[in-house]
Amino acid sequence: MKNHFKIITKTLIIILITLCIVGCKNESKISESNPQNHKTNTAFPITLTDQMGREVTIEKLPERIISLAPSNTEILFTLGLEDRIVGVTDFCDYPEAAKSKEKIGGFSEPNIEKIISLQPDLILATSMHQKPVEELEKLNVPSVVLDPKDFEDVFTSIEIIGKATGQDDKAAAIVGDLKARVKDVDDKVIKLTEDERPKVYYEIWPSPITTAGPGTFVNDIIQRAGGENIAKDAKKAYPQYSQEMIVAKNPDIIIFSHHGSSNQSAEDILNRQGWESIEAIKNNKVFYVEENLVQRATPRLVDGLEQLAMMMHPELFK
């Protein structure tokens, strides 16, 4: 009788252990598939101030996020929030996974009906989206507006999105790493004399010749990377220059990243007629850089800074 009792007891214990293991596995699967189980270090509701000075209250942890700009989409992916993104613009192309997200139209004029149909609980917009933001707020959909103009603003954008999505700690860690990389470049170029800072011409488009002037990320990056932007004193952000102006300014380095497809290479620029006297042409210092590394307000701006610094001062990065 005792042996019989022991056998029953052992059998029950085995059954209970098996049920616990299966239950734990199922719970784990549910947690992985259900975005509502995302870990967060933020207690909702929260009220934050976006980069337009607007106070925005977010009642609960956002689970259905729509991005109205490629820069915002990149930041969301950097924060590991890709499974919460339910809509992006037609121009959100990085990382590769962003291309497969549901599209809500163009960057400047997103499709409001499409956005509403996706039932978002958070919109990440930019300063050019005033009209759609106003329409969505009437429907009680909170919208956070980002408007970064320099490196510090980009870092703040990451922190704001981190707070809005319950990822404060991760955002702080990312920003800390980015600031450390920027400081490393700053420390390397800070002792350069004026004569050691090459004159740089950055070409956005070849015809008409268009460059980047003050108030742009490109200008900021060139200066921080240890160069002098030949268009730093232009009267607008993206001035058009004549060929004669480029020759007269005589840049030491030419960097290009044509928007869209110009079908031009460094070799084409080196062989432009009338540019033979330019120092950058004579010394074969014409470089290509991906436009989104120096023009898009994302963490990859630091990649762009590092690349330009190495192009201008390879001796400092050996």
Side-chain angles (χ1 to χ4, degrees):
M1 188 69 178
K2 287 183 178 179
N3 289 337
H4 183 66
F5 181 76
K6 286 181 179 179
I7 291 171
I8 293 173
T9 302
K10 286 181 180 179
T11 303
L12 287 172
I13 290 171
I14 291 169
I15 292 170
L16 286 171
I17 291 172
T18 303
L19 287 172
C20 285
I21 291 171
V22 172
C24 288
K25 285 184 178 179
N26 288 339
E27 185 178 347
S28 176
K29 288 179 181 178
I30 291 169
S31 178
E32 289 172 1
S33 63
N34 186 354
Q36 292 185 3
N37 287 284
H38 274 287
K39 290 182 179 179
T40 176
N41 53 288
T42 305
F44 287 82
I46 63 166
T47 298
L48 56 81
T49 302
D50 68 15
Q51 287 183 304
M52 295 303 289
R54 302 162 57 253
E55 282 198 350
V56 182
T57 298
I58 303 172
E59 297 293 342
K60 62 183 182 66
L61 179 68
E63 305 291 357
R64 300 182 62 79
I65 304 170
I66 287 180
S67 167
L68 302 187
S71 53
N72 297 344
T73 300
E74 282 198 37
I75 293 173
L76 285 168
F77 272 90
T78 302
L79 288 168
L81 298 170
E82 56 269 24
D83 59 341
R84 291 201 239 167
I85 302 172
V86 296
V88 300
T89 75
D90 297 336
F91 299 98
C92 293
D93 56 3
Y94 187 89
E96 188 67 25
K99 296 179 182 178
S100 63
K101 292 292 182 181
E102 192 79 17
K103 299 298 184 289
I104 51 85
F107 174 45
S108 58
E109 295 183 355
N111 186 324
I112 297 298
E113 289 184 2
K114 177 66 175 179
I115 291 173
I116 294 170
S117 73
L118 293 172
Q119 300 180 316
D121 50 20
L122 178 64
I123 303 292
L124 294 180
T126 73
S127 56
M128 70 179 299
H129 295 120
Q130 182 179 347
K131 184 177 178 180
V133 165
E134 289 175 351
E135 290 184 46
L136 290 163
E137 287 192 327
K138 289 177 183 177
L139 300 171
N140 296 318
V141 180
S143 300
V144 174
V145 181
L146 290 311
D147 188 33
K149 301 185 186 305
D150 54 30
F151 273 88
E152 287 304 318
D153 283 351
V154 171
F155 299 152
T156 300
S157 293
I158 297 170
E159 291 169 341
I160 289 173
I161 294 177
K163 184 175 182 180
T165 58
Q167 296 295 310
D168 303 56
D169 289 347
K170 189 163 187 177
I174 290 168
V175 168
D177 177 67
L178 293 172
K179 286 184 175 181
R181 289 168 59 193
V182 170
K183 184 178 184 301
D184 183 59
V185 174
D186 288 344
D187 291 344
K188 283 182 169 63
V189 305
I190 194 170
K191 293 183 180 179
L192 293 172
T193 64
E194 188 174 339
D195 291 339
E196 292 173 325
R197 298 175 70 90
K199 292 183 294 181
V200 179
Y201 162 57
Y202 176 85
E203 186 170 280
I204 290 178
W205 193 248
S207 181
I209 295 173
T210 308
T211 187
T216 65
F217 288 118
V218 170
N219 184 69
D220 191 14
I221 288 174
I222 290 173
Q223 302 299 121
R224 295 193 79 142
E228 287 295 329
N229 182 11
I230 66 168
K232 67 179 183 180
D233 56 355
K235 294 182 180 179
K236 57 182 180 179
Y238 297 102
Q240 293 180 3
Y241 277 8
S242 66
Q243 177 168 298
E244 290 73 23
M245 289 176 69
I246 303 296
V247 173
K249 286 181 178 289
N250 193 23
D252 301 300
I253 293 175
I254 294 174
I255 298 172
F256 72 103
S257 52
H258 297 159
H259 180 69
S261 177
S262 68
N263 297 318
Q264 290 210 358
S265 65
E267 193 67 25
D268 293 321
I269 295 175
L270 284 166
N271 292 320
R272 284 180 182 173
Q273 291 187 356
W275 287 40
E276 299 87 355
S277 64
I278 296 175
E279 286 298 314
I281 302 296
K282 290 194 292 184
N283 295 315
N284 198 30
K285 290 192 174 182
V286 178
F287 305 101
Y288 168 80
V289 64
E290 184 188 340
E291 64 180 294
N292 291 333
L293 297 186
V294 291
Q295 296 184 42
R296 187 177 285 182
T298 75
R300 289 195 295 160
L301 278 178
V302 179
D303 296 344
L305 171 65
E306 292 170 337
Q307 283 192 23
L308 263 65
M310 286 187 277
M311 289 173 183
M312 298 180 206
H313 304 286
E315 72 284 356
L316 298 179
F317 294 87
K318 291 180 179 178

